[in-house]
Amino acid sequence: MTTGEKISKLRKENNYTQEQLADILGVSRQSVSKWESEAAYPETEKLVKMGKLFGCTMDYLLNEECTEKNVKTEVPPPASTPTCFYSVQAPPRKRFTDKKSEKKIFGMPLYHIGKNAKGFFAVGLNAKGVIAIGLLARGILSIGLLSIGIFSFGFFVLGLLAFGLISIGGIAFGSISLGIIAIGAVSFGVLSIGGMAIGDFALGAFAVGKYVAVGDSAQGMIAIGKSKAVGSMYSVVGEVSADDMRFITAWLEDNVPVYLCWAKNFIVNIMFYVDFK
């Protein structure tokens, strides 16, 4: 086999494309193509690198009569028999190669896949883009272990709309959530809904609210609970009567700031429909 044929054979055996091998050797894909087609000959430096990469010596690459890839002999072969020697090396590790679109949108590649990816659509360990997916993801729509964006999904997330194990956002959903509207097993927010809910207005199995708390066990200025209610201004255990609702509604109108009216209206509507009997 010729040197070019051996390069082609070894490259394919190790699952490299011509472009990937070219990246490793620091040459163009066209150069690798020319070597394999015998249109050009690799420099000594490149042959040495290929020997290390593929686990063979230059003797194998250069000697056309040497056809066996791994030859081990206890007794020296006859003088007429060519001898091939190989260094024993661990299998080559695959490189994390970047892939980037030549087409751009707003100055960014349409897509970028790499260790540090930045593009309209970005995927990588550290990804930044309009749509970003990675261990650390930042984008309008981001998905990652640590995710930051307008719409964020992941383990620890920060966003206008956040979904995660631990989430912080305008509207936050998670096992532990913190937001203007927070929904989760443990939630903290202006309007908080969860197993344990803490906020200005709280709804949950265990609810603590600055203004109103509604739940199985409730504590707040206005507390409405199924089994327990502790209210500094007013408390109801069990059914909420029409008289209770008139007092609660009037008190909220007088004491809740205007900018919290949306949360007040939500919790009042909940009280109308929840059965505490």
Side-chain angles (χ1 to χ4, degrees), residues 10 76 128 160 178 234 236:
L10 290 169
K128 184 178 181 181
L160 183 62
L178 174 64
Y234 200 79
V236 179

Side-chain angles (χ1 to χ4, degrees), residues 7 44 51 130 147 149 167 170 237 262:
I7 292 172
T44 302
V130 176
S147 177
S167 60
V237 176
W262 61 272

Side-chain angles (χ1 to χ4, degrees), residues 31-92:
S31 294
V32 175
S33 178
K34 289 179 180 179
W35 297 344
E36 294 183 358
S37 63
E38 302 290 331
Y41 200 76
E43 299 173 357
T44 302
E45 176 192 353
K46 306 307 179 187
L47 287 168
V48 172
K49 284 187 177 181
M50 282 188 282
K52 292 180 180 179
L53 179 65
F54 296 132
C56 66
T57 63
M58 290 179 63
D59 181 59
Y60 174 76
L61 292 172
L62 296 173
N63 190 342
E64 293 187 10
E65 296 181 0
C66 184
T67 59
E68 296 295 327
K69 183 176 180 183
N70 293 295
V71 176
K72 293 182 179 179
T73 55
E74 296 293 337
V75 180
S80 59
T81 304
T83 304
C84 303
F85 297 97
Y86 290 83
S87 60
V88 179
Q89 297 182 359

Side-chain angles (χ1 to χ4, degrees), residues 196-219:
M196 185 175 88
I198 301 172
D200 290 325
F201 299 88
L203 173 64
F206 178 76
V208 178
K210 178 180 178 180
Y211 296 105
V212 179
V214 179
D216 183 68
S217 177
Q219 183 176 338

